[in-house]
mmCIF file of all heavy atoms in Angstrom:
data_model
loop_
_atom_site.group_PDB
_atom_site.id
_atom_site.type_symbol
_atom_site.label_atom_id
_atom_site.label_comp_id
_atom_site.label_asym_id
_atom_site.label_seq_id
_atom_site.Cartn_x
_atom_site.Cartn_y
_atom_site.Cartn_z
ATOM 1 N N VAL A 318 9.210 16.914 -6.140
ATOM 2 C CA VAL A 318 7.884 17.099 -5.560
ATOM 3 C C VAL A 318 7.731 18.544 -5.074
ATOM 4 O O VAL A 318 6.694 19.167 -5.224
ATOM 5 C CB VAL A 318 7.716 16.126 -4.358
ATOM 6 C CG1 VAL A 318 6.414 16.372 -3.623
ATOM 7 C CG2 VAL A 318 7.820 14.677 -4.819
ATOM 8 N N ASP A 319 8.807 19.095 -4.511
ATOM 9 C CA ASP A 319 8.752 20.443 -3.942
ATOM 10 C C ASP A 319 10.180 20.966 -3.783
ATOM 11 O O ASP A 319 11.090 20.188 -3.478
ATOM 12 C CB ASP A 319 8.078 20.363 -2.551
ATOM 13 C CG ASP A 319 7.454 21.679 -2.137
ATOM 14 O OD1 ASP A 319 7.680 22.689 -2.845
ATOM 15 O OD2 ASP A 319 6.758 21.703 -1.108
ATOM 16 N N THR A 320 10.386 22.244 -4.000
ATOM 17 C CA THR A 320 11.687 22.880 -3.763
ATOM 18 C C THR A 320 11.436 24.098 -2.886
ATOM 19 O O THR A 320 10.575 24.911 -3.209
ATOM 20 C CB THR A 320 12.324 23.331 -5.099
ATOM 21 O OG1 THR A 320 12.485 22.177 -5.923
ATOM 22 C CG2 THR A 320 13.690 23.964 -4.904
ATOM 23 N N MET A 321 12.145 24.204 -1.776
ATOM 24 C CA MET A 321 11.891 25.324 -0.848
ATOM 25 C C MET A 321 13.191 25.789 -0.200
ATOM 26 O O MET A 321 14.119 24.980 -0.023
ATOM 27 C CB MET A 321 10.917 24.874 0.242
ATOM 28 C CG MET A 321 11.441 23.729 1.080
ATOM 29 S SD MET A 321 10.289 23.174 2.350
ATOM 30 C CE MET A 321 9.281 22.046 1.444
ATOM 31 N N PRO A 322 13.280 27.074 0.146
ATOM 32 C CA PRO A 322 14.435 27.518 0.923
ATOM 33 C C PRO A 322 14.475 26.696 2.216
ATOM 34 O O PRO A 322 13.414 26.390 2.773
ATOM 35 C CB PRO A 322 14.143 28.994 1.211
ATOM 36 C CG PRO A 322 13.105 29.373 0.219
ATOM 37 C CD PRO A 322 12.316 28.150 -0.110
ATOM 38 N N PHE A 323 15.662 26.318 2.673
ATOM 39 C CA PHE A 323 15.738 25.432 3.835
ATOM 40 C C PHE A 323 15.257 26.128 5.103
ATOM 41 O O PHE A 323 15.722 27.212 5.451
ATOM 42 C CB PHE A 323 17.166 24.930 4.052
ATOM 43 C CG PHE A 323 17.248 24.026 5.245
ATOM 44 C CD1 PHE A 323 16.924 22.685 5.124
ATOM 45 C CD2 PHE A 323 17.587 24.525 6.490
ATOM 46 C CE1 PHE A 323 16.953 21.847 6.229
ATOM 47 C CE2 PHE A 323 17.625 23.689 7.602
ATOM 48 C CZ PHE A 323 17.304 22.351 7.473
ATOM 49 N N SER A 324 14.271 25.491 5.772
ATOM 50 C CA SER A 324 13.850 25.929 7.109
ATOM 51 C C SER A 324 13.434 24.658 7.832
ATOM 52 O O SER A 324 12.581 23.906 7.325
ATOM 53 C CB SER A 324 12.676 26.912 7.001
ATOM 54 O OG SER A 324 11.746 26.656 8.031
ATOM 55 N N LEU A 325 14.057 24.397 8.979
ATOM 56 C CA LEU A 325 13.783 23.153 9.701
ATOM 57 C C LEU A 325 12.295 23.039 10.015
ATOM 58 O O LEU A 325 11.679 21.990 9.815
ATOM 59 C CB LEU A 325 14.618 23.103 10.990
ATOM 60 C CG LEU A 325 14.375 21.873 11.863
ATOM 61 C CD1 LEU A 325 14.721 20.586 11.119
ATOM 62 C CD2 LEU A 325 15.191 21.973 13.156
ATOM 63 N N LYS A 326 11.714 24.163 10.476
ATOM 64 C CA LYS A 326 10.313 24.150 10.892
ATOM 65 C C LYS A 326 9.399 23.801 9.708
ATOM 66 O O LYS A 326 8.542 22.927 9.803
ATOM 67 C CB LYS A 326 9.962 25.546 11.426
ATOM 68 C CG LYS A 326 9.013 25.528 12.579
ATOM 69 C CD LYS A 326 8.954 26.894 13.196
ATOM 70 C CE LYS A 326 7.503 27.171 13.553
ATOM 71 N NZ LYS A 326 7.278 28.545 13.926
ATOM 72 N N ARG A 327 9.660 24.468 8.599
ATOM 73 C CA ARG A 327 8.802 24.254 7.423
ATOM 74 C C ARG A 327 8.987 22.837 6.868
ATOM 75 O O ARG A 327 8.015 22.177 6.487
ATOM 76 C CB ARG A 327 9.148 25.310 6.364
ATOM 77 C CG ARG A 327 8.300 25.151 5.134
ATOM 78 C CD ARG A 327 8.346 26.375 4.257
ATOM 79 N NE ARG A 327 7.782 26.072 2.959
ATOM 80 C CZ ARG A 327 8.075 26.697 1.842
ATOM 81 N NH1 ARG A 327 8.926 27.711 1.868
ATOM 82 N NH2 ARG A 327 7.525 26.352 0.705
ATOM 83 N N LEU A 328 10.233 22.382 6.874
ATOM 84 C CA LEU A 328 10.516 21.044 6.352
ATOM 85 C C LEU A 328 9.830 19.990 7.220
ATOM 86 O O LEU A 328 9.193 19.060 6.713
ATOM 87 C CB LEU A 328 12.040 20.837 6.344
ATOM 88 C CG LEU A 328 12.560 19.582 5.668
ATOM 89 C CD1 LEU A 328 12.111 19.501 4.207
ATOM 90 C CD2 LEU A 328 14.092 19.559 5.725
ATOM 91 N N ARG A 329 9.943 20.159 8.548
ATOM 92 C CA ARG A 329 9.330 19.182 9.462
ATOM 93 C C ARG A 329 7.819 19.138 9.217
ATOM 94 O O ARG A 329 7.219 18.069 9.117
ATOM 95 C CB ARG A 329 9.640 19.592 10.902
ATOM 96 C CG ARG A 329 9.292 18.502 11.899
ATOM 97 C CD ARG A 329 9.358 19.028 13.309
ATOM 98 N NE ARG A 329 10.690 19.263 13.786
ATOM 99 C CZ ARG A 329 11.075 20.325 14.492
ATOM 100 N NH1 ARG A 329 10.223 21.294 14.773
ATOM 101 N NH2 ARG A 329 12.308 20.446 14.916
ATOM 102 N N ALA A 330 7.191 20.327 9.086
ATOM 103 C CA ALA A 330 5.738 20.387 8.885
ATOM 104 C C ALA A 330 5.356 19.714 7.560
ATOM 105 O O ALA A 330 4.407 18.924 7.495
ATOM 106 C CB ALA A 330 5.279 21.841 8.904
ATOM 107 N N THR A 331 6.141 19.987 6.504
ATOM 108 C CA THR A 331 5.823 19.410 5.183
ATOM 109 C C THR A 331 5.927 17.882 5.222
ATOM 110 O O THR A 331 5.068 17.176 4.682
ATOM 111 C CB THR A 331 6.807 19.963 4.117
ATOM 112 O OG1 THR A 331 6.769 21.384 4.185
ATOM 113 C CG2 THR A 331 6.468 19.506 2.726
ATOM 114 N N LEU A 332 6.974 17.386 5.892
ATOM 115 C CA LEU A 332 7.167 15.927 5.930
ATOM 116 C C LEU A 332 6.059 15.277 6.770
ATOM 117 O O LEU A 332 5.585 14.182 6.454
ATOM 118 C CB LEU A 332 8.556 15.587 6.477
ATOM 119 C CG LEU A 332 9.721 16.066 5.597
ATOM 120 C CD1 LEU A 332 11.067 15.774 6.253
ATOM 121 C CD2 LEU A 332 9.686 15.409 4.207
ATOM 122 N N ARG A 333 5.638 15.944 7.839
ATOM 123 C CA ARG A 333 4.511 15.451 8.661
ATOM 124 C C ARG A 333 3.251 15.333 7.807
ATOM 125 O O ARG A 333 2.589 14.296 7.781
ATOM 126 C CB ARG A 333 4.212 16.442 9.795
ATOM 127 C CG ARG A 333 5.083 16.320 10.997
ATOM 128 C CD ARG A 333 4.576 15.197 11.918
ATOM 129 N NE ARG A 333 5.674 14.743 12.739
ATOM 130 C CZ ARG A 333 6.066 15.363 13.854
ATOM 131 N NH1 ARG A 333 5.429 16.428 14.283
ATOM 132 N NH2 ARG A 333 7.089 14.908 14.534
ATOM 133 N N GLU A 334 2.966 16.431 7.082
ATOM 134 C CA GLU A 334 1.755 16.460 6.243
ATOM 135 C C GLU A 334 1.741 15.296 5.257
ATOM 136 O O GLU A 334 0.712 14.719 4.970
ATOM 137 C CB GLU A 334 1.783 17.735 5.383
ATOM 138 C CG GLU A 334 0.824 18.823 5.780
ATOM 139 C CD GLU A 334 1.221 20.111 5.064
ATOM 140 O OE1 GLU A 334 1.460 20.058 3.838
ATOM 141 O OE2 GLU A 334 1.342 21.141 5.761
ATOM 142 N N ARG A 335 2.924 14.977 4.744
ATOM 143 C CA ARG A 335 3.014 13.922 3.725
ATOM 144 C C ARG A 335 3.181 12.532 4.333
ATOM 145 O O ARG A 335 3.322 11.559 3.605
ATOM 146 C CB ARG A 335 4.200 14.204 2.789
ATOM 147 C CG ARG A 335 4.000 15.428 1.925
ATOM 148 C CD ARG A 335 5.232 15.715 1.087
ATOM 149 N NE ARG A 335 5.024 16.867 0.240
ATOM 150 C CZ ARG A 335 4.469 16.815 -0.982
ATOM 151 N NH1 ARG A 335 4.115 15.664 -1.490
ATOM 152 N NH2 ARG A 335 4.295 17.914 -1.676
ATOM 153 N N GLY A 336 3.254 12.455 5.644
ATOM 154 C CA GLY A 336 3.387 11.151 6.316
ATOM 155 C C GLY A 336 4.694 10.454 5.994
ATOM 156 O O GLY A 336 4.757 9.245 5.763
ATOM 157 N N ILE A 337 5.797 11.231 5.967
ATOM 158 C CA ILE A 337 7.097 10.658 5.578
ATOM 159 C C ILE A 337 7.802 10.061 6.808
ATOM 160 O O ILE A 337 8.245 10.785 7.700
ATOM 161 C CB ILE A 337 8.002 11.730 4.933
ATOM 162 C CG1 ILE A 337 7.301 12.412 3.756
ATOM 163 C CG2 ILE A 337 9.340 11.108 4.508
ATOM 164 C CD1 ILE A 337 6.863 11.494 2.642
ATOM 165 N N GLY A 338 7.936 8.736 6.823
ATOM 166 C CA GLY A 338 8.635 8.061 7.917
ATOM 167 C C GLY A 338 10.010 7.567 7.489
ATOM 168 O O GLY A 338 10.887 7.318 8.317
ATOM 169 N N ARG A 339 10.193 7.371 6.170
ATOM 170 C CA ARG A 339 11.489 6.894 5.658
ATOM 171 C C ARG A 339 12.039 7.953 4.716
ATOM 172 O O ARG A 339 11.449 8.230 3.667
ATOM 173 C CB ARG A 339 11.300 5.575 4.899
ATOM 174 C CG ARG A 339 11.190 4.378 5.835
ATOM 175 C CD ARG A 339 11.006 3.106 5.054
ATOM 176 N NE ARG A 339 9.697 3.052 4.437
ATOM 177 C CZ ARG A 339 9.462 2.665 3.184
ATOM 178 N NH1 ARG A 339 10.456 2.281 2.404
ATOM 179 N NH2 ARG A 339 8.244 2.640 2.694
ATOM 180 N N LEU A 340 13.150 8.577 5.127
ATOM 181 C CA LEU A 340 13.689 9.688 4.342
ATOM 182 C C LEU A 340 15.142 9.407 3.965
ATOM 183 O O LEU A 340 16.001 9.229 4.839
ATOM 184 C CB LEU A 340 13.607 10.976 5.172
ATOM 185 C CG LEU A 340 13.973 12.260 4.437
ATOM 186 C CD1 LEU A 340 12.934 12.605 3.373
ATOM 187 C CD2 LEU A 340 14.084 13.430 5.426
ATOM 188 N N GLU A 341 15.413 9.357 2.667
ATOM 189 C CA GLU A 341 16.805 9.273 2.193
ATOM 190 C C GLU A 341 17.297 10.722 2.090
ATOM 191 O O GLU A 341 16.619 11.565 1.500
ATOM 192 C CB GLU A 341 16.833 8.627 0.808
ATOM 193 C CG GLU A 341 18.225 8.580 0.205
ATOM 194 C CD GLU A 341 18.240 8.119 -1.259
ATOM 195 O OE1 GLU A 341 17.218 8.301 -1.948
ATOM 196 O OE2 GLU A 341 19.269 7.595 -1.703
ATOM 197 N N ILE A 342 18.447 11.014 2.711
ATOM 198 C CA ILE A 342 18.938 12.401 2.666
ATOM 199 C C ILE A 342 20.250 12.435 1.878
ATOM 200 O O ILE A 342 21.213 11.743 2.223
ATOM 201 C CB ILE A 342 19.161 12.965 4.086
ATOM 202 C CG1 ILE A 342 17.877 12.823 4.925
ATOM 203 C CG2 ILE A 342 19.588 14.433 4.013
ATOM 204 C CD1 ILE A 342 17.993 13.333 6.357
ATOM 205 N N LEU A 343 20.284 13.232 0.815
ATOM 206 C CA LEU A 343 21.506 13.431 0.025
ATOM 207 C C LEU A 343 21.887 14.899 0.170
ATOM 208 O O LEU A 343 21.025 15.741 0.418
ATOM 209 C CB LEU A 343 21.252 13.132 -1.454
ATOM 210 C CG LEU A 343 20.649 11.769 -1.790
ATOM 211 C CD1 LEU A 343 20.430 11.648 -3.292
ATOM 212 C CD2 LEU A 343 21.587 10.651 -1.323
#
Side-chain angles (χ1 to χ4, degrees):
V318 174
D319 204 352
T320 301
M321 61 181 85
F323 180 83
S324 141
L325 178 61
K326 216 169 140 191
R327 180 164 167 206
L328 188 57
R329 192 191 288 138
T331 306
L332 296 176
R333 278 278 157 82
E334 253 166 47
R335 292 176 179 273
I337 305 302
R339 280 180 290 136
L340 187 68
E341 176 188 26
I342 306 179
L343 306 179

